[in-house]
């Protein structure tokens, strides 16, 4: 041997088929063992090294201290190097002894030794960079060991013939060391220094644990044993946190500020139009997409590699199947080849599983980050957009952007790679098919190509439907939002039915579109399910008819079928991907429209630091807000002065303050404000937090200051009443505070923050006179806490005017006069006139849920769809089984005469084609049928469930709305209904499909190899166990996730309502931080649920892989009894089973998690309801109440079971036509009395009798239609003015105009372009508060009932308007009983009687004069108001 040159030696020894393949005992040549098997691991490590080294340099996770594990790894690495080089020196020694071995005995140890040194270096470098477990190294040791195992086996077989004892020994040592290194590699290092608390175990887990997602098992076990809580969740990884993600995104994407257009109304293009029409803004769209790509691209690129690897492995299955069928046909082949193929099949399947789920993991994490980013960016934007831009995007739309559209991006992240992967899979599959069947594949391709345009058309139609559906949905959510915000008014006016009809009208439009989409979806499913079938049919038919010699044998038929099955997936996915991309692009546009709204110009006011300048404001500017108000205003305010702004309703007082805050569009001029600003809006904005948090508002706590502020703002008595003092949690929109309390909290917040400039928008209107006086003296006035600050006060209270430094009188957006009280009186202009008129006046998901859903669909339809599914699958199984019989036709062996062959094939083809044709027809009918049935059933269900939800929510008592955050309710109406509409039906389709597919595959395997019956049941049990185990935890994680999702929306809603306050206090940073924390809390629950999905899928796919293993194994064992056709059939089915199982699990968990929507919608059906709306038996006569006599007998009221009585033993009789004033300090129970009268809260004791009828006995609507209230907060709904006055369309236009005239709105309304059809904005925001109050008066005038309740109705209007209202009430309601809750005592001085309430009891009752003489509580209140 040694005489030959080494390269010849290599050539001759490197490969020998007889030694390696055609033998019962295979082995490699020594040369191959010493070269190729050595080089493989070395090449791997050297190729990975540069990339990995760079990666480590950029990603430093901190420093890990040296540990015993690390020392051991390093030592072993060095010993390995020594062992390799011992071989090298031995070779040199041999040469010195004149024994010349082949050169690879020198090359091999040298290369190996250097590689071992590199490995040792990497072990240390990873430690320094904080890598706790390394994939690169684990794989390296694994490959080395596998290569060594082959050599080791060979050495053992040939052990007797060997002489080279030294090399034998070194190799054994080398082998053992490799094994130990691999084992050590499976253990992770200790965490780096300074890690965070409760970190995610992912980074500390070993490589094996990471690729199999073993590290989450702890959480799964915990969730299985007991319900998970928020504290069980791990903290988010640093790179998934909001601040990490949103910061770079915000810096990259700040859309150019739009040029201010000449009229702002030009910008108000409907968003839906913008979606369809405006493709001109390509540049900014590209930029938003680019920015998202820049931020998330690099990490996402990893998924490309995984996806590509997985796609290639997918095709290994059919190729191995081909070899396996050949093996079964070739009776001479040695047995081990069959086992080898089986093993190979299993290994490929397992690798495929691991790679696929790494890929999915990356996709989902990217999706999660995208959502975080989008929510963060939207929130930050919402804090800076102008008011005119706010008008175009309602709260409902913005919340939809955060929920629905952000979700679309998440979905897209998982699908986007299919854009290149699907075509790749198609091309590969077609190439292999061509090799298998030749040109006849083109027939199949033609069928596919024909189907593409059909689907393109469908996709386009789907898009237009979707835009329409989104628009209806936005409108519905907007309306729901308003209904929930104004629910109290709806109840007081008994308007629920009118609004229910409005919602259902929108819903009807939405369902119409849904129905059209459903027909489309059924068509699409039909084409897709039939596509692979048609393709196979046409290909086989052409193949057999083209040429007499073409024989369809098992190998050709089943390898082709397996490839067609692979082909089916990308073709099925493409439409989903395309629609997902379409949806995301619609969302991207909506997002872009929102993000490119105008922003407030931070420079529109110049905020200077305080210097000893003589003035503090300089306002020289003209303003416009949506073209309703034009001001041209010049004024300056000296530092530290107190300025009053007075004027009639709607003259622009509040807008003036908005201008000072920079909330208006500035046309020209400039505004300078020195120092910081505090703002008290006219309608107090209260956060859902404790009373103390509301006042401190993110500043440091300063006890003494806090106490002073509470005392000055008259909050002490209120804090005593509240259950837990100032730590009491205040409900959303301050539901558990009265109007006056909210206003004082809002005031206290401003006072506490100690700013330089204070802007008060009429804060005194909502509080009683004596409280108002207290506040003015202690806070605003010349002796108050703020006496050295600059204060601008919008007010209607004349008694404070003499104490002002300056008074601005406004009319129609102009300042008509300006000066001190005395100056203005001397000028004898409008102001003096104004005063003279009023000087005298003034002062587990359970099975039942599925059953509920089926009932909602209709049981007949439910069972019909299941039956159609069965037909479809039985048909497809039959056709494939027939195919296997056909391929086994003995004719193929060519034993009969030639003519017979032709006849046989033709006959077989004819029969089978007939059968296939029939089955095809059956399948098509069944597919179309089930698809249609499920879709239409889904629509029935969602209509039914939405109707019930709406009805039940409207029937809920007021207390329910005070307890339930509106975010939750809106969530029910948007997210849950959306799920029921468009998510559940397709999931049901896929779920049923996968279930039947799995069952079918098992049946086929059992038919082919009955022995599999031993294996399938245990695997089934394992499957079920893992599934149940997972579902327990998954459900809890989903629950935690949805529980933590609501606060995000609630906080967002709250922010949008109080955005002007937040901006005035310059608290944006803190709110952004709060939002980030809430989003992170939500993602903290979402992240484990993604991983749990992967955990489950990996485990279950291994079950599927075992089925593949056993199907192939049994086929190999029984190869002498089985025909090739059956082997092909059973293995090709088992290859699909993994994919089906995977789908089945995904779909069943999707179904479980989404069916929760049904449960959550149903849960409101079981809530407590208020009394019946109308009761036939006890309905009073239509003329009732005739005289309007109201009696309270021992009446008491409490808000909740567990609270004290708010009203106690009230005994009062009010005769028909009496005018009663109700007074008392804030929180004395004045408003509660009216709530009792309207049965918003039912009596706790006693009763109320109106004209002899006990009101507790009649229906609520019967009662509420007969009493009229003008409520404290004037609430309007978006819609026409006419709708707001008369939603049931009961009155004629003349009546309406008359009521408007009496309410002094006629001039205003007739000046509007649309008159009665003038569109009110959401919440009536385009009318001033005073005008809204007058609209409420007009409502009352229209209803003309015998009993009228005024709840502080004139608090927000100026004195002049107040006087008008009072005179209207006197003249129009002369016959009626009028109950007035008053803050301004002057309004009730001429009433028949006055009730004085204190702490829920009547303390004084009598005529005003009588009470004044008694010198009791009423007297002291009158004294505070300056009436005595």
């Amino acid at each position: 041997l040694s005489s030959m040159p080494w390269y010849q030696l290599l050539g001759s020894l490197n490969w020998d088929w007889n030694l390696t393949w055609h033998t019962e005992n295979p082995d490699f040549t020594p040369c191959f063992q010493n070269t190729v098997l050595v080089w493989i691991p070395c090449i791997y490590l050297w190729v990975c090294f540069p990339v990995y080294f760079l990666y480590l340099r950029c990603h430093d996770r901190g420093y890990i201290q040296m540990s015993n594990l690390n020392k051991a790894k390093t030592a072993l690495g060095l010993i390995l190097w020594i062992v390799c080089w011992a071989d090298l020196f031995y070779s040199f020694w041999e040469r010195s002894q004149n024994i010349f071995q082949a050169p690879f005995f020198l090359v091999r140890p040298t290369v190996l030794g250097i590689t071992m040194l590199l490995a040792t270096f990497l072990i240390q470098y990873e430690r320094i960079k904080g890598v706790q477990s390394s994939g690169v190294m684990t794989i390296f040791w694994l490959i080395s060991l596998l290569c060594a195992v082959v050599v080791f086996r060979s050495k053992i077989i040939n052990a007797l013939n060997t002489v080279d004892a030294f090399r034998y020994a070194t190799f054994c040592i080398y082998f053992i060391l490799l094994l130990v290194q691999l084992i050590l590699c499976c253990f992770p290092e200790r965490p780096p220094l300074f890690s965070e608390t409760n970190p995610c175990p992912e980074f500390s887990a070993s490589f094996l644990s990471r690729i199999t997602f073993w590290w989450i098992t702890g959480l799964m076990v915990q969730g299985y044993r007991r319900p998970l809580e928020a504290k069980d969740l791990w903290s988010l990884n640093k790179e998934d946190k909001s601040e990490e993600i949103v910061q770079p995104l915000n810096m990259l994407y700040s859309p150019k500020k739009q040029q201010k257009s000449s009229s702002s109304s030009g910008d108000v293009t409907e968003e839906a139009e913008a979606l369809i029409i405006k493709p001109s803004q390509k540049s900014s769209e590209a930029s938003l997409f680019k920015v998202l790509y820049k931020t998330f691209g690099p990490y996402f690129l990893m998924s490309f590699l995984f996806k590509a690897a997985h796609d290639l492995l997918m095709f290994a299955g059919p190729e191995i199947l081909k070899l396996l069928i050949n093996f079964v046909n070739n009776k001479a082949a040695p047995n081990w080849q069959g086992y080898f193929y089986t093993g190979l099949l299993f290994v490929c399947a397992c690798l495929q599983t691991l790679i696929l789920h790494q890929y999915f993991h990356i996709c989902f994490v990217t999706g999660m980050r995208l959502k975080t980013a989008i929510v963060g960016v939207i929130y930050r934007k919402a804090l800076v957009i102008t008011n005119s831009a706010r008008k175009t995007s309602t709260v409902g739309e913005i919340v939809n952007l955060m929920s629905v559209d952000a979700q679309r991006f998440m979905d897209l992240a998982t699908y986007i790679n299919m854009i290149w992967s699907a075509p790749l899979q198609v091309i590969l599959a077609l190439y292999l098919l061509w090799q298998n069947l030749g040109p006849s594949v083109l027939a199949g391709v033609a069928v596919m190509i024909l189907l593409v345009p059909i689907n393109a058309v469908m996709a386009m139609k789907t898009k237009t439907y979707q835009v329409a559906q989104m628009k209806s949905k936005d409108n519905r959510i907007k309306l729901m939002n308003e209904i929930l915000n104004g629910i109290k008014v709806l109840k007081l006016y008994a308007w629920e039915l009118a609004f229910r009809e409005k919602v259902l009208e929108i819903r009807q439009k939405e369902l119409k579109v849904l129905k059209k989409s459903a027909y489309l979806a059924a068509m699409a499913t039909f084409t897709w399910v039939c596509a692979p079938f048609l393709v196979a049919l046409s290909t086989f038919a052409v193949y057999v008819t083209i040429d007499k010699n073409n024989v369809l044998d098992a190998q050709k038929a089943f390898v082709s079928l397996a490839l067609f099955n692979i082909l089916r997936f990308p073709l099925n996915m493409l439409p989903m991907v395309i629609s997902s991309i379409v949806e995301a692009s619609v969302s991207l546009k909506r997002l872009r429209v929102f993000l490119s709204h105008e922003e407030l110009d931070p420079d529109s006011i110049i905020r200077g630091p305080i210097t000893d300048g003589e003035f503090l404001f300089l306002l020289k500017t003209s303003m416009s807000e949506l073209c309703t108000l034009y001001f041209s205003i010049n004024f300056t305010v000296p530092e530290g002065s107190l300025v009053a702004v007075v004027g009639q309703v709607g003259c622009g007082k509040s807008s003036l303050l908005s201008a000072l805050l920079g909330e208006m569009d500035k046309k020209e001029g400039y505004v300078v404000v020195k120092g910081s600003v505090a703002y008290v809006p006219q309608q107090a904005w209260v956060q859902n937090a404790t009373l103390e948090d509301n006042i401190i508002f993110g500043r440091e706590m300063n006890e003494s200051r806090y106490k002073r502020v509470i005392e000055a703002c008259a909050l002490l008595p209120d804090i005593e009443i509240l259950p837990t003092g100032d730590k009491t949690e205040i409900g959303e929109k301050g539901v558990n505070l009265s109007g006056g309390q909210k206003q004082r909290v809002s005031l206290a917040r401003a006072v506490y923050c100690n700013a330089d400039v204070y802007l008060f928008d009429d804060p005194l209107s909502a509080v009683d006179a004596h409280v108002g006086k207290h506040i003015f003296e202690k806070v605003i006035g010349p002796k108050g806490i703020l006496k050295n600050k600059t204060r601008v006060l919008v007010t209607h209270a004349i008694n404070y005017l003499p104490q002002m430094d300056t008074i601005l009188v406004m009319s129609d957006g102009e300042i008509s006069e300006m000066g001190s009280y005395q100056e203005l009186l001397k000028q004898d202009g409008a102001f003096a006139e104004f005063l003279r008129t009023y000087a005298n006046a003034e002062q587990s998901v359970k099975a039942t849920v599925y059953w509920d859903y089926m009932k909602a669909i209709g049981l007949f339809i439910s069972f019909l769809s299941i039956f159609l599914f069965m037909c479809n699958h039985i048909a497809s199984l039959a056709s494939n089984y027939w195919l296997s019989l056909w391929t086994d036709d003995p004719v193929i062996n060519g034993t009969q005469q030639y003519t017979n062959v032709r006849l046989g094939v033709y006959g077989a083809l004819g029969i089978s084609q007939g059968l296939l044709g029939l089955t095809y027809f059956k399948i098509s009918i069944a597919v179309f049928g089930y698809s249609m049935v499920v879709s239409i059933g889904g629509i029935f269900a969602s209509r039914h469930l939405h109707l019930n939800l709406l009805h039940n929510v409207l029937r809920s008592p007021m207390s329910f709305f005070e307890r339930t955050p509106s975010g939750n309710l809106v969530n029910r109406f948007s997210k849950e209904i959306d799920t029921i509409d468009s998510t559940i039906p397709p999931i049901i389709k896929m779920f049923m499909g996968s279930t039947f597919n799995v069952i079918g595959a098992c049946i086929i395997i059992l038919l082919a190899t009955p022995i599999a019956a031993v294996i399938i049941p245990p695997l089934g049990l394992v499957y079920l166990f893992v599934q149940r185990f997972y579902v327990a935890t998954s459900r809890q994680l989903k629950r935690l996730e949805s529980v933590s999702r609501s606060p995000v929306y609630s906080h967002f809603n709250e922010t949008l309502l109080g955005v002007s306050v937040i901006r005035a206090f310059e608290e944006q940073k803190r709110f952004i931080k709060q939002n980030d924390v809430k989003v992170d809390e939500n993602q903290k629950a979402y992240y484990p649920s993604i991983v749990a999905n992967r955990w489950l899928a990996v485990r279950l796919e291994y079950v599927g892989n075992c089925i593949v293993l056993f199907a192939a194994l049994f086929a190999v064992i029984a190869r002498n009894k089985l025909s090739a056709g059956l082997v092909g059939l059973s293995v090709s089915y088992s290859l699909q089973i993994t994919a089906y199982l995977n789908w089945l699990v995904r779909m069943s968990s999707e179904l479980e998690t989404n069916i929760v929507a049904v449960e959550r919608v149903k849960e409101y059906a079981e809530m407590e309801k208020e009394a019946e709306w109308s009761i036939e038996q006890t309905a009073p006569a239509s003329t009732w109440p005739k005289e309007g006599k109201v009696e309270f007998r021992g009446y008491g009221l409490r808000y909740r079971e567990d609270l004290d009585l708010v009203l106690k033993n009230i005994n009062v009789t009010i005769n028909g036509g009496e005018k009663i004033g109700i007074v008392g300090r804030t929180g004395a129970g004045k408003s509660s009395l009216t709530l009792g009268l309207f049965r918003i809260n039912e009596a706790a004791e006693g009763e109320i009798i109106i004209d002899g009828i006990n009101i507790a006995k009649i229906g609520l609507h019967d009662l509420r239609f007969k009493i009229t209230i003008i409520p404290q907060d004037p609430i309007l709904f978006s819609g026409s003015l006419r709708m707001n006055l008369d939603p049931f369309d009961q009155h004629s236009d003349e009546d309406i105009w008359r009521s408007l005239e009496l309410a002094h709105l006629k001039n205003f309304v007739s000046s509007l372009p649309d008159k009665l059809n003038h569109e009110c904005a959401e919440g009536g925001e385009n009318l001033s508060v005073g005008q809204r109050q007058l609209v409420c008066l007009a409502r009352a005038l229209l209803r003309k009932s015998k009993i009228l309740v005024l709840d502080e109705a004139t608090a927000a209007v100026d004195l002049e308007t107040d006087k008008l209202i009072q005179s209207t009430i006197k003249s129009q309601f002369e016959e009626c009983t009028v109950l007035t809750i008053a803050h301004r005592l002057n309004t009730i001085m001429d009433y028949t009687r006055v009730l004085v309430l204190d702490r829920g009891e009547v303390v004084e009752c009598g005529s005003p004069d009588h009470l004044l003489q008694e010198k009791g509580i009423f007297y002291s209140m009158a004294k505070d108001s300056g009436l005595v």
Side-chain angles (χ1 to χ4, degrees), residues 648-921:
Q648 307 227 345
V649 168
C651 67
K653 303 184 296 290
S654 300
S655 302
L656 179 69
L657 293 191
S658 291
L660 292 176
L661 288 169
E663 299 263 326
M664 309 270 277
D665 291 342
K666 184 172 68 173
K667 289 294 175 232
E668 62 204 10
Y670 54 92
V671 188
V672 186
V673 178
K674 289 211 178 137
S676 55
V677 177
Y679 168 59
V680 181
Q682 188 168 1
Q683 290 193 304
W685 172 71
V686 185
Q687 270 190 288
N688 183 353
T690 64
L691 188 76
E692 184 183 311
D693 292 343
N694 261 300
I695 294 175
I696 293 175
F697 203 57
R699 306 284 193 284
E700 275 92 68
M701 178 64 174
N702 171 343
E703 280 292 334
S704 58
R705 178 171 183 77
Y706 179 67
K707 289 221 170 67
R708 276 218 318 280
V709 170
I710 286 188
E711 205 279 315
C713 295
L715 279 167
L716 281 173
D718 304 298
I719 289 179
E720 285 166 21
I721 298 174
L722 290 171
T724 51
D726 60 2
K727 297 285 188 289
T728 306
E729 186 81 20
I730 292 175
E732 206 172 323
K733 300 199 196 66
V735 286
N736 45 1
L737 298 179
S738 72
Q741 287 167 326
K742 274 191 272 197
Q743 194 62 61
R744 294 204 299 277
V745 169
S746 176
L747 188 71
R749 173 196 303 146
V751 179
Y752 185 82
C753 91
N754 199 10
D756 304 314
V757 179
Y758 282 84
L759 307 175
F760 298 109
D761 195 349
D762 204 3
L764 301 175
S765 65
V767 296
D768 312 312
H770 63 286
V771 179
K773 183 177 172 200
H774 173 99
I775 288 177
F776 187 78
E777 285 173 1
K778 291 278 200 282
V779 182
I780 303 172
K783 300 195 187 63
I785 294 193
L786 305 176
K787 54 179 180 284
N788 305 326
K789 312 277 187 191
T790 308
R791 291 141 296 166
V792 177
L793 170 71
V794 171
T795 184
H796 296 130
I798 287 195
N799 45 345
Y800 303 132
L801 293 182
Q803 306 183 28
M804 301 291 174
D805 300 335
T806 317
I807 297 170
L808 300 181
V809 184
M810 294 193 66
S811 60
D812 299 335
E814 301 280 337
I815 293 183
S816 55
E817 294 179 83
M818 176 172 176
S820 70
Y821 188 71
Q822 304 306 331
E823 286 166 20
L824 292 179
L825 278 180
K826 284 194 195 102
Q827 284 176 15
D828 207 22
F831 180 69
E833 188 60 29
F834 176 84
L835 275 183
R836 261 199 293 279
T837 355
Y838 307 116
N840 51 0
E842 173 58 280
Q843 295 308 329
S844 177
V845 187
K846 306 170 213 63
T848 53
V849 179
Y850 293 97
W851 186 241
D852 283 337
Y853 187 70
M854 282 172 75
K855 278 194 298 208
I857 294 180
L859 293 181
F860 171 70
I861 294 189
S862 305
F863 288 118
L864 178 68
S865 61
I866 293 176
F867 173 70
L868 286 169
F869 260 107
M870 304 238 331
C871 295
N872 167 31
H873 283 277
I874 290 169
S876 94
L877 280 180
S879 67
N880 282 344
Y881 189 61
W882 185 258
L883 188 68
S884 93
L885 295 180
W886 171 14
T887 57
D888 286 340
D889 251 358
V891 179
I892 292 166
N893 301 336
T895 45
Q896 295 123 320
Q897 260 69 43
Y898 192 55
T899 47
N900 291 3
V901 174
R902 197 178 315 165
L903 270 177
V905 174
Y906 259 113
L909 182 69
I911 297 169
S912 68
Q913 242 187 328
L915 253 183
L916 284 176
L918 271 173
T919 23
Y920 170 63
F921 185 65

Side-chain angles (χ1 to χ4, degrees), residues 958-1092:
M958 212 42 228
S959 57
F960 165 74
F961 295 98
E962 287 165 4
R963 277 200 317 269
T964 314
S966 65
N968 285 7
L969 283 169
V970 172
N971 210 349
R972 293 290 179 279
F973 279 100
S974 61
K975 194 102 169 50
E976 318 295 359
I977 290 288
D978 183 48
T979 304
I980 293 172
D981 281 351
S982 44
T983 318
I984 293 183
I987 288 181
I988 287 184
K989 264 189 255 186
M990 293 191 214
F991 173 71
M992 307 260 288
S994 308
T995 314
F996 284 116
N997 277 333
V998 170
I999 295 171
C1002 289
I1003 291 174
I1004 291 281
I1005 294 173
L1006 286 172
L1007 278 178
T1009 50
I1011 189 176
V1014 181
I1015 283 300
I1016 287 181
L1019 282 176
L1021 283 175
V1022 170
Y1023 177 90
L1024 280 174
F1025 171 71
V1026 171
Q1027 162 82 344
R1028 298 300 339 144
F1029 192 75
Y1030 155 80
V1031 165
T1033 306
S1034 162
R1035 217 189 285 125
Q1036 326 240 9
L1037 287 171
K1038 264 293 191 305
R1039 194 195 68 239
L1040 285 174
E1041 196 258 339
S1042 67
V1043 164
S1044 61
R1045 190 173 56 224
S1046 285
V1048 176
Y1049 299 145
S1050 289
H1051 178 240
F1052 191 66
N1053 257 331
E1054 204 169 72
T1055 306
L1056 287 174
L1057 292 171
V1059 76
S1060 50
V1061 179
I1062 295 170
R1063 291 198 276 227
F1065 282 83
E1066 295 187 320
E1067 281 286 322
Q1068 292 97 321
K1069 280 222 170 55
R1070 183 168 67 91
F1071 274 80
I1072 286 175
K1073 185 136 184 45
Q1074 273 184 9
N1075 179 58
D1076 284 355
V1077 168
K1078 287 185 162 56
V1079 172
D1080 287 350
E1081 277 301 307
N1082 184 17
Q1083 300 295 35
K1084 219 159 97 172
Y1086 178 69
Y1087 185 67
S1089 75
I1090 304 176
V1091 181

Side-chain angles (χ1 to χ4, degrees), residues 1145-1187:
V1145 169
R1146 263 183 83 172
M1147 286 306 129
S1148 56
S1149 62
E1150 288 269 289
L1151 192 57
E1152 284 244 348
T1153 47
N1154 282 309
I1155 205 90
V1156 172
V1158 178
E1159 189 175 26
R1160 295 177 72 171
V1161 167
K1162 294 283 285 189
E1163 101 191 311
Y1164 283 129
E1166 278 90 61
M1167 297 308 251
E1168 45 167 344
K1169 300 281 169 283
E1170 38 179 20
E1172 286 299 321
W1173 278 343
S1174 57
I1175 304 172
E1176 293 285 311
Q1177 300 80 8
T1178 60
S1182 57
T1183 53
W1184 175 87
K1186 274 211 173 97
E1187 52 171 329

Side-chain angles (χ1 to χ4, degrees), residues 406-592:
Q407 190 65 41
R408 294 269 150 83
F409 279 101
M410 286 175 78
D411 297 343
L412 181 67
T414 43
Y415 288 139
I416 188 94
N417 272 330
M418 289 304 290
I419 283 292
W420 59 268
S421 150
L424 173 77
Q425 290 180 26
V426 171
I427 291 166
L428 274 173
L430 289 178
Y431 168 73
L432 292 172
L433 276 167
W434 182 281
Q435 282 200 322
N436 216 1
L437 297 176
S440 44
V441 172
L442 293 176
V445 176
V447 174
M448 280 181 202
I449 291 172
L450 279 175
L451 289 171
V452 170
I454 299 176
N455 284 291
V457 172
M458 288 186 190
M460 290 309 295
K461 288 297 281 182
T462 312
K463 176 176 178 172
T464 46
Y465 287 155
Q466 196 167 6
V467 173
Q469 192 194 336
M470 284 301 267
K471 199 165 181 243
S472 297
K473 187 147 123 226
D474 279 349
N475 287 338
R476 191 183 89 234
I477 299 305
K478 179 175 143 191
L479 186 60
M480 278 316 301
N481 219 349
E482 289 190 61
I483 288 178
L484 296 173
N485 286 343
I487 189 79
K488 193 165 178 182
V489 175
L490 286 191
K491 291 202 173 299
L492 290 172
Y493 286 130
W495 278 0
E496 294 102 333
L497 288 169
F499 277 84
R500 189 179 128 190
E501 286 317 306
K502 284 187 66 176
V503 176
L504 291 179
E505 201 178 306
I506 301 179
R507 178 75 180 151
Q508 201 46 47
K509 280 187 203 153
E510 206 180 341
L511 286 175
K512 228 183 183 152
V513 176
L514 260 179
K515 206 171 227 164
K516 287 182 188 163
S517 310
Y519 290 127
L520 264 181
M523 287 291 297
T525 314
F526 174 60
T527 46
W528 284 122
V529 170
C530 300
F533 195 88
L534 274 174
V535 172
L537 182 68
S538 52
T539 310
F540 288 158
V542 171
Y543 178 69
V544 179
T545 45
I546 250 175
D547 181 355
K548 300 186 177 61
N549 299 335
N550 281 347
V551 168
L552 194 59
D553 60 4
Q555 178 192 332
K556 286 205 165 53
F558 287 106
V559 173
S560 306
L561 262 188
L563 287 167
F564 281 133
N565 281 330
I566 287 182
L567 205 52
R568 178 192 229 158
F569 183 70
L571 288 182
N572 270 333
M573 284 302 281
L574 265 181
M576 275 175 81
V577 174
I578 290 166
S579 73
S580 180
I581 288 177
V582 166
E583 286 176 2
S585 71
V586 170
S587 292
L588 190 68
K589 277 186 186 154
R590 285 165 53 106
L591 192 63
R592 200 188 67 238

